[in-house]
Amino acid sequence: MISKVYPDAKVYGPYFHSKHKRWYVIVFWSKQVKKMLLLSRFKMQEHLGRELETSEHVDHKDTNPLNDDLGNLQILINTDHNTKTHLKYEDEKIEVCEFCGQPFIEDRKQQYARQQARKRGGKAYCSRTCSNNARHW
């Protein structure tokens, strides 16, 4: 693939990374010098004709990270991207513990942490005690 942003490099891909569940491209300058980029970031850089700053994030408008169409991509700075990411969480949410069955309240921070843990198979527990008991049950 020929690149406007990296004219002296070879670009290979896209490749699907099964662990991260995202599409990537690999940019080679030589056998020792390479860079792995998210396909969405690469497409936006090619569209703009420049490398993105580290403070610029490529955001998927429809929140689907596999939809890398240019019409679905937008550039957000750190603060805007973080705000958009955390808006999907409620101030407080009532959940039911998956070990003891008791209802409990999760704040935004706990909802975000559990969403990250779900990627690794995490479940909702009301306390560390229930979490540990469920693990050793």
Side-chain angles (χ1 to χ4, degrees), residues 4-136:
K4 291 187 275 184
V5 179
Y6 307 106
D8 56 339
K10 291 183 181 176
V11 180
Y12 295 96
Y15 299 105
F16 188 73
H17 195 292
S18 58
K19 182 179 177 185
H20 298 138
K21 307 277 191 271
R22 301 289 292 270
W23 288 97
Y24 287 85
V25 295
I26 301 173
V27 182
F28 282 97
W29 285 272
S30 68
K31 289 188 178 185
Q32 288 88 19
V33 183
K34 65 181 176 181
K35 184 185 231 182
M36 194 165 149
L37 291 169
L38 284 167
L39 180 60
S40 55
R41 190 169 183 88
F42 178 77
K43 281 187 169 186
M44 185 58 77
Q45 288 181 159
E46 289 296 308
H47 176 69
L48 298 173
R50 64 174 178 87
E51 280 194 69
L52 296 177
E53 301 291 326
T54 55
S55 63
E56 295 177 313
H57 293 265
V58 177
D59 180 62
H60 294 82
K61 294 176 186 176
D62 68 357
T63 69
N64 177 2
L66 297 177
N67 182 1
D68 290 328
D69 288 340
L70 271 176
N72 184 46
L73 302 176
Q74 63 184 352
I75 296 177
L76 297 177
I77 59 171
N78 285 341
T79 53
D80 293 341
H81 190 255
N82 289 340
T83 301
K84 182 182 177 198
T85 300
H86 292 287
L87 277 178
K88 63 184 173 186
Y89 303 110
E90 302 169 26
D91 286 335
E92 290 184 343
K93 183 177 180 183
I94 297 176
E95 285 288 340
V96 176
C97 178
E98 299 201 26
F99 183 75
C100 69
Q102 293 290 340
F104 66 98
I105 297 174
E106 278 186 332
D107 62 18
R108 283 179 187 264
K109 187 176 179 181
Q110 292 167 323
Q111 291 173 52
Y112 177 75
R114 190 159 57 81
Q115 187 257 345
Q116 296 300 313
R118 269 200 183 126
K119 294 177 183 176
R120 300 182 306 272
K123 297 182 178 177
Y125 299 109
C126 63
S127 65
R128 287 187 183 201
T129 304
C130 281
S131 175
N132 288 334
N133 289 341
R135 201 172 337 149
H136 301 294

